[in-house]
Amino acid sequence: MLPYFAEFYGNASSNHSFGKKAKDAIEKSRVQVSNLINSNNKEIIFTSGATESINLGVKGYLEANSDKGNHIITVKTEHKAVLATCEYLESKGFEVTYLDVDKNGLINLKELTKSITNSTLLICVMYVNNEIGVIQPIKEIGKIARENNIAFLCDATQAVGKIVVDVEEDNIDMLCFSAHKLKGPKGIGVLYKNCDIKLTPLLHGGGQERGLRGGTYNTPLIVGLGKACELAQSDFKNNTNILLKKRAELKEYYETNNIGVVNFKEVATAPHILSVTLKNREAEEYLMLKSKEFVASTGSACNAEIFEISHVLKAIGITNNQTIRISI
Ligand code: PLP
């Protein structure tokens, strides 16, 4: 990233040689990103992160297709970036179905199919839950969406680089993630959109990103995102093995020492998240005691200033205040 702050500082939208140097770096990053998720590089839009990508994907799709319907289906355990966007859209007259989850945080595919109406435009389900790490049946959800001619947006912020994500195989029309979840810089992310998907931009401006996201390119951050994707792909096996080994050690530590019980053992989870329900101790008190050894959270990091049981834990029926979320 460093040369693109000072040495190659040209604006990628300019036609002169400084601009071309930046533009080439951006296009290289687009290829690195698309290789990781098996998309075409023409289908990658750079944004400031998953929150913006979700806003662009959801609002942009609904606006561009408002003549075809007004209904969205999502899940109670989504990240606030999705839930708050849906709440806003409800205030504008759209209808939203929030699917329940079972005790493992997974949706029921029959419920999903039942909730589809003639006016359903979009299904929005996350790949890996950021608090509990469980993996939704994305390929099957995508199949249901395709069979019903509905667009499928997947928030893969906690999945990309941690598990195999393939937009083709998984039947995904739109997918988002942020660079900082895979060792890249903060404030940069991606919206992948299949070339058949029509969007109305959130940011109108100088026509960047094929008119879908105006604003001068942040070349250093885009270069960092691309490199992070390249490394995530080349080191995938090694990284995953390290995470799985560490997770197994943590599980052993909590359970053999009788400190807590590891949750979601019967379902597939991403290798970097461990949910533990402590025995005989409140989560906040335990983390305070351990604060010199490690840091972790009781809800998602974004909710950490609010000391109430998170919407995710509530949705799966956990009512105690004894669950911690360890990110490895
Ligand atoms: N979606 C999920 C699953 C996340 O974990 C996060 C961030 O923690 C986001 C969306 C929002 O990402 P950002 O804050 O980079 O926009």
Side-chain angles (χ1 to χ4, degrees):
M1 291 167 65
L2 287 177
Y4 294 92
F5 281 109
E7 206 179 327
F8 309 125
Y9 52 81
N11 183 336
S13 304
S14 304
N15 285 329
H16 50 58
S17 59
F18 280 10
K20 179 144 187 342
K21 186 88 187 161
K23 178 84 178 143
D24 288 348
I26 288 171
E27 293 316 311
K28 180 175 173 195
S29 171
R30 219 184 283 284
V31 172
Q32 290 163 319
V33 172
S34 51
N35 285 345
L36 183 60
I37 59 169
N38 191 30
S39 72
N40 184 315
N41 57 338
K42 303 246 163 19
E43 301 174 321
I44 300 296
I45 303 165
F46 294 119
T47 66
S48 63
T51 303
E52 185 189 326
S53 300
I54 290 163
N55 274 268
L56 173 58
V58 175
K59 292 177 188 163
Y61 187 77
L62 294 185
E63 192 174 336
N65 295 279
S66 58
D67 55 325
K68 299 189 197 111
N70 72 339
H71 179 227
I72 312 154
I73 301 171
T74 188
V75 186
K76 288 185 177 164
T77 51
E78 290 294 301
H79 190 273
K80 291 280 163 133
V82 168
L83 296 177
T85 301
C86 287
E87 277 161 32
Y88 166 78
L89 287 164
E90 278 183 294
S91 78
K92 295 284 165 195
F94 287 91
E95 277 178 36
V96 184
T97 298
Y98 298 91
L99 295 173
D100 284 318
V101 292
D102 64 15
K103 66 179 179 26
N104 286 317
L106 299 178
I107 64 162
N108 179 320
L109 294 173
K110 286 198 186 109
E111 289 298 315
L112 169 65
T113 307
K114 261 200 266 166
S115 65
I116 293 172
T117 70
N118 286 340
S119 54
T120 308
L121 284 179
L122 182 67
I123 294 174
C124 191
V125 181
M126 71 198 328
Y127 216 126
V128 169
N129 185 278
N130 50 305
E131 286 187 46
I132 57 178
V134 301
I135 304 173
Q136 295 287 0
I138 291 302
K139 193 173 173 177
E140 290 75 13
I141 296 169
K143 188 163 173 274
I144 292 170
R146 292 259 155 102
E147 283 164 359
N148 289 278
N149 208 15
I150 297 166
F152 174 36
L153 185 153
C154 179
D155 172 2
T157 310
Q158 297 285 345
V160 173
K162 307 295 190 331
I163 59 172
V164 176
V165 172
D166 180 324
V167 292
E168 283 284 321
E169 269 282 300
D170 294 338
N171 306 312
I172 294 170
D173 295 311
M174 288 186 272
L175 174 137
C176 69
F177 64 95
S178 294
H180 68 101
K181 303 291 185 197
L182 55 150
K183 305 181 188 171
K186 294 178 183 67
I188 186 79
V190 166
L191 177 67
Y192 152 81
K193 86 162 188 66
N194 162 333
C195 55
D196 296 333
I197 294 284
K198 298 277 169 288
L199 294 181
T200 300
L202 292 181
L203 302 182
H204 299 87
Q208 288 89 348
E209 297 301 76
R210 303 178 306 290
L212 288 170
R213 207 272 186 176
T216 299
Y217 286 105
N218 192 331
T219 312
L221 294 195
I222 294 174
V223 166
L225 161 69
K227 189 67 189 178
C229 289
E230 185 191 292
L231 292 176
Q233 194 171 18
S234 59
D235 297 349
F236 186 80
K237 257 211 174 114
N238 191 30
N239 282 343
T240 312
N241 286 340
I242 293 170
L243 292 171
L244 287 173
K245 186 164 171 277
K246 195 82 198 159
R247 191 171 71 171
E249 282 167 17
L250 282 165
K251 177 175 170 292
E252 169 91 6
Y253 168 78
Y254 280 99
E255 296 199 334
T256 53
N257 294 314
N258 212 20
I259 304 169
V261 176
V262 169
N263 298 313
F264 315 113
K265 278 184 290 213
E266 337 58 291
V267 292
T269 52
H272 64 299
I273 297 173
L274 191 73
S275 169
V276 181
T277 299
L278 302 165
K279 291 187 180 163
N280 319 317
R281 235 197 238 294
E282 297 263 299
E284 294 299 338
E285 185 200 353
Y286 174 76
L287 291 180
M288 286 275 270
L289 277 171
K290 290 282 177 186
S291 63
K292 290 218 168 92
E293 291 169 49
F294 69 95
V295 291
S297 63
T298 53
S300 74
C302 313
N303 294 338
E305 279 160 29
I306 307 167
F307 291 133
E308 65 170 58
I309 295 168
S310 76
H311 69 283
V312 175
L313 297 182
K314 270 191 200 148
I316 58 176
I318 292 186
T319 51
N320 65 53
N321 206 4
Q322 291 170 218
T323 302
I324 58 170
R325 178 262 202 201
I326 301 176
S327 169
I328 303 162

